[in-house]
Amino acid sequence: MNYESDTFQDYESITIDELKEQTNNLLDRVTEKQHPLRVFMNDGKVLLLFPQDLLAPICDSNFRLILLSAMRYAMDRNTYMPIVVADYIKRHRQFLDDKFLVLATDDIRRQLEDYAECDPNSNLWRSLLDALKAEQEERATRQARKIRLCPVCGKPLEVMSITSNRHSPGGFDVIARCQNCHSNYEWFCDKDGGVTDIKEHFFG
């Protein structure tokens, strides 16, 4: 991550054993006094214990618009801003919501279609576009692989194949099999994660 290395150094530090022994007292300090704590685990990892309110700035629904505005501002700029904004979005893309990914990819695609020849950072935006599209595909595939139950016996279905749908860009056709009753099923998962009802699949 690309945050300041000493961002959390001023927070009080405790061990995991201290947290176990004084759970209620320490949680009260964190939640009521807004006092974050660094928790050192036995395996050397460090966790940050903090009140949910600290996430308010990035959980705010306007954060998406602010980030999009920063990206749009950075386009066509021949300064340090394009790489700062593009790298930030690329690093944290897994935490950005689906709507941001849709809006950002549309903006970048239009930018490349209209101004690629004169934009000094076209390769930068193309790289970001590829990363965001890959994230969208990963999310769609993840949704497609979510366990669904056999409509006949109720046992979990085993996904056999996931293929891109020719008629719906970003969508996937899923074929799964019930190992209990030996039936095959199919469904469609669109690029936004929506899925259709299960129907029986016949090979051949």
Side-chain angles (χ1 to χ4, degrees), residues 13 58 61 63 72 78 80-81 90 105 150 159 166 173 178 184 190-191 203:
S13 301
I58 60 174
S61 59
F63 178 73
R72 290 165 180 166
N78 193 16
Y80 63 91
M81 282 307 297
K90 187 182 291 187
T105 52
C150 175
V159 173
R166 293 180 299 172
D173 293 312
C178 177
N184 299 307
D190 65 31
K191 64 182 179 63
F203 287 98

Side-chain angles (χ1 to χ4, degrees), residues 3 9 31 41 45 58 61 73 87 93 101 103 146 151 155 172 177-178 183 186 194:
Y3 48 68
Q9 299 303 312
T31 56
M41 307 295 288
K45 294 181 180 178
I58 60 174
S61 59
Y73 170 82
D87 282 356
R93 61 188 181 277
L101 295 181
L103 295 173
K146 286 185 67 173
K155 297 293 185 180
F172 297 92
R177 180 174 177 79
C178 177
S183 300
E186 64 180 71

Side-chain angles (χ1 to χ4, degrees), residues 1 58 63 89 91-97 135 139:
M1 297 180 68
I58 60 174
F63 178 73
I89 294 173
R91 283 198 311 274
H92 303 297
R93 61 188 181 277
Q94 67 268 35
F95 303 114
L96 302 174
D97 63 24
E135 177 66 23
R139 293 186 189 186

Side-chain angles (χ1 to χ4, degrees), residues 36-134:
L37 293 172
R38 290 195 303 160
V39 183
F40 286 84
M41 307 295 288
N42 294 331
D43 60 3
K45 294 181 180 178
V46 181
L47 304 180
L48 188 63
L49 193 62
F50 58 89
Q52 181 177 312
D53 291 347
L54 287 186
L55 292 177
I58 60 174
C59 292
D60 191 302
S61 59
N62 287 325
F63 178 73
R64 178 199 309 129
L65 300 178
I66 293 171
L67 196 53
L68 280 170
S69 296
M71 188 186 77
R72 290 165 180 166
Y73 170 82
M75 289 176 173
D76 293 327
R77 295 295 191 281
N78 193 16
T79 66
Y80 63 91
M81 282 307 297
I83 193 168
V84 169
V85 173
D87 282 356
Y88 178 90
I89 294 173
K90 187 182 291 187
R91 283 198 311 274
H92 303 297
R93 61 188 181 277
Q94 67 268 35
F95 303 114
L96 302 174
D97 63 24
D98 293 340
K99 190 168 184 178
F100 174 86
L101 295 181
V102 171
L103 295 173
T105 52
D106 285 347
D107 280 356
I108 298 172
R109 190 177 291 110
R110 284 197 298 269
Q111 172 74 9
L112 292 174
E113 289 174 354
D114 297 340
Y115 305 108
E117 293 184 0
C118 58
D119 188 338
N121 298 294
S122 59
N123 288 336
L124 178 71
W125 299 120
R126 191 171 288 108
S127 174
L128 177 58
L129 178 61
D130 290 342
L132 296 183
K133 287 167 63 178

